[in-house]
Amino acid sequence: MLRLKNFNTKISLFILITLIIVGCNTTKRVPNNKRLLMDNEIYVDDKKNKDDEVSSQLYQKPNSSILGYRLRLNLYNLAKQNTDSLYKDKFLKNPAKYNRKAKWLSKKQVNRLGQSFWNKGIHEFLKKTGESPVLLDTNSTKKSIKRLNSYYFNNGFFDVKTDFTTDTSKTKKVVLKYKINKGSGYKLDSLKTDIATLALDSLYKLRKDNSFIKSGNQYKTSDIDNERNRITTDFRNNGVYFFQQNYINFDLDTIQTNKKVNLKLNIENQNIREGDTSATQDFKIYKINKVNIFTDHQTNKNEIKVNDSVTYNGFNFYSEKKLKYKPKSITSAIFIAPGTTYSDFRTSLTSKYLSNLRVFNYPSIQYSVDPKDVNGLIANVFLIPRKKYTFGASVDFTHSNIQDFGISGNTSLGIRNVFNGAETFEIAFRGNVGASRDLSNPNNNFFNISEIGVDSKLNFPRILFPLNTDKIIPKTMIPSTTLSVGFAKQRNIGLDKQNFTSALSYNWTPKRNTTIRFDLFNVQFVKNINVGNYFNVYRTSYDRLNEIAAIYNTNSENVDLDGNLTQEGTLNFIVDVLTENTDILPEDDEYKTVLSISERYVRLIEDNLIFASSISFSKTSKRDIQDNNFYVFKTKIESAGNVLSLISNASKEIINQNGANTIFDVEYSQYIKTEFEYIKHWDLRRKKVFAIRSFFGIAIPYGNSNSIPFSRSYFAGGTNDIRAWQPYSLGPGSSGGIFDFNEANMKISFNAEFRFNIFGKLNGALFADAGNIWNVLDNVEDEAYQFNGLKSLETIALGTGFGFRYDFGLFVVRGDLGFKTYNPAKNINNRWFKELNLSELVLNIGINYPF
């Protein structure tokens, strides 16, 4: 270990010295008559300003750096320039060398060497990956002055004055210093309006209290732009179909106003063209007279042929072939109705809802003035059906601690518009065959393990419920119902679980970026068939028992010829220890270890019946995929076992030897579970983001249960959690993660990550993860596992590290390297900074960002 540490120290020292040497030569590629821009310093009213929004106004910015080190510039400086000329010059100056090479290589091959990776490719890579030096350009500096002036002018500082100086005290380097004198800010005073169309003037006055322009506020061009957008949106959502933003303009008066701005809002009449002449007229407020829906429109056809049509609740349906959709299922997704006022919002909501049906491609909605009514519009909705059937298949080759070799396959079938009501049905079949040397194989078959499964899902674009829910959950909330059923069966895979699942879920969106999911029921039935394979799966538990048995086992029938515990002998040894038929006493650590393994064995081989209901709420402020300044809040509450408890009591089901009620000879789970998660991202500009996440979850057993099913419990560690630990390896509490799969019924975690761009599509991150899992109010009695108030927060683990991410556009590949900074499993005096070395490094690889 000492040698390894010395080796690591030498490597680190070598890398550090190399970086220092390279970093000292940042001006290597700077011409003699030029200067490298080292920094932009901005002084506003003689005070240094570090506001990113202000600095973003500058045209020229220094070379990028990572914690002050200009990595990309130094990579560029390492590259040789004009490699073709250098290669040729090498042989022109030394013809003998060229002739010697040409004797054992052809002349053509010698010439090709100039295009090789070491002669040219590596230097092209360094130049492409690196960043050429940013040289001072006075023209760009003058443009920056103008932009800074505009920035402050647009924020109400109409008397702003800007200048710059240069610091050239260092050879071939320069620091630009921008000096800004803002002057006094101008404030808004009066607002007058001149709206030519009386109907628009009335609309404006109805909602003028929502104006972004407030008397007494400092003038900002952004407020003017926002007000222009607000007025345009308001008019177009209230029937003014032909209104455009360019009809709005503002006049500013600052003459003799004592640093105040008087505004005048002007909205002109509509411009119309009649032949070669133009004229103006009052804007009209339009209503929808007709809604025509073409259910099988083809984009490559100019003509619209109609062979089938129907009218339903005022909506006209047209189809080139026989109409395949129930009119009600389509009209429930259309918010443009005859007799209503034209609205941009209802148009976009209709497009969104129709797309959400997953039966049509993105629809086309077109409007035209009704020739019979100058104040009316005809809405034509063109729907392009997707393929009714979709099919998919995949094959994977696998290897795990259970399978030496495995082949898995998946096939899926999707059917759209199943019952002619825009429903979608999906069914997927999965199978796996594999080989394992650890399992009994009396027939000597190569493939001695297998798994089959089927999952199906039926989606309705509405709330499927016996009572009418339209008043509670109107169609504007885009409701849907999903019924899912699944079954899986294993043979010689793990514990050979037979698994049945089913759920009925309702989803709706009460507000933009807010979603609610209500699971009326979520059923999971798990039955373990091959419990004798337990210690082949949970090898850590077996290895620990085997170590103890090597010292304390007293029954020779428990071990094989090599002295290792057999599967049956493992259980017998546990019984011997717990019944004190060995030299291990209850106060010994070995006894506690065997007891914990025994309890975990009983817990993980138990069959489960979970009948739960839950409601989830999610809200985010994220506007689009480019938004890096947002928050996400999620919460969920789940209750299980209450319905089954009523059924069990009514049917007088048998109480088993553990004192628990059963249904189908299986103890059903009874618990209540709740979770909270909050995520916040701050955009620090220049491709830098600071992100945090906090999570709290707890599941409390009661009634028929004294523990939480494994599938509903919490674990810690892994690529999206506490990254200095592998999945399931942290906790519970200070226990040290001694099992293969460590889990508990309470979890607290906090994550923080600073993300930055290195170069191109390669990004980096520095992170800190804190958290742990604990047992609380269940059947675990060991204090090391339990959460016992605020004192237990001492066992919150802390992992720190760094990571790299490569952005492929559609997804991000991520690698995180974590160090155990505070490990609660260690002795209390050895928890901090004892594992900050490469041998303890944990690598987690994932897809996309962790939060």
Side-chain angles (χ1 to χ4, degrees), residues 338-504:
T340 60
T341 303
Y342 167 82
S343 168
D344 272 359
F345 171 74
R346 283 194 286 269
T347 303
S348 61
L349 188 61
T350 297
S351 295
K352 180 180 178 181
Y353 202 124
L354 287 169
S355 298
N356 198 57
L357 294 178
R358 297 190 297 169
V359 174
F360 305 103
N361 291 324
Y362 197 80
S364 172
I365 302 176
Q366 301 174 9
Y367 293 90
S368 61
V369 177
D370 190 343
K372 298 179 182 179
D373 180 4
V374 294
N375 293 319
L377 293 175
I378 297 174
N380 294 311
V381 182
F382 297 98
L383 303 177
I384 305 169
R386 295 184 180 182
K387 291 181 179 179
K388 187 174 181 66
Y389 300 98
T390 58
F391 180 79
S394 65
V395 176
D396 293 312
F397 298 94
T398 59
H399 171 75
S400 68
N401 63 328
I402 301 175
Q403 296 185 77
D404 300 311
F405 174 76
I407 303 174
S408 61
N410 295 275
T411 59
S412 62
L413 173 67
I415 307 174
R416 296 186 175 95
N417 197 36
V418 183
F419 307 120
N420 293 334
E423 305 88 357
T424 57
F425 176 70
E426 299 172 17
I427 186 166
F429 299 91
R430 50 191 166 86
N432 174 70
V433 292
S436 176
R437 290 168 296 183
D438 293 333
L439 303 178
S440 60
N441 189 8
N443 297 323
N444 200 29
N445 296 325
F446 178 75
F447 291 112
N448 60 332
I449 58 179
S450 64
E451 178 180 12
I452 58 171
V454 58
D455 299 288
S456 60
K457 184 165 65 174
L458 181 61
N459 182 268
F460 300 86
R462 53 193 170 275
I463 296 294
L464 197 67
F465 198 74
L467 303 178
N468 190 339
T469 60
D470 289 346
K471 291 184 179 180
I472 303 172
I473 308 173
K475 69 177 186 178
T476 53
M477 294 185 181
I478 315 180
S480 66
T481 304
T482 301
L483 175 63
S484 61
V485 178
F487 176 76
K489 183 178 181 180
Q490 301 173 344
R491 182 178 69 85
N492 289 336
I493 298 180
L495 307 184
D496 284 8
K497 297 178 183 293
Q498 290 184 356
N499 196 334
F500 172 81
T501 59
S502 181
L504 178 62

Side-chain angles (χ1 to χ4, degrees), residues 601-614:
Y601 169 80
V602 172
R603 171 162 167 65
L604 294 182
I605 67 167
E606 67 183 4
D607 300 330
N608 286 319
L609 176 57
I610 305 170
F611 192 103
S613 298
S614 66

Side-chain angles (χ1 to χ4, degrees), residues 68-104:
Y69 178 71
R70 303 180 195 276
L71 173 63
R72 295 189 65 187
L73 173 60
N74 288 314
L75 288 175
Y76 183 89
N77 288 340
L78 285 172
K80 291 181 180 179
Q81 309 295 312
N82 304 318
T83 52
D84 290 337
S85 300
L86 291 173
Y87 184 76
K88 291 177 182 177
D89 289 345
K90 179 170 67 173
F91 291 121
L92 286 173
K93 293 176 181 178
N94 194 345
K97 185 176 182 180
Y98 177 83
N99 292 330
R100 284 198 302 272
K101 278 203 170 187
K103 285 182 179 179
W104 57 279

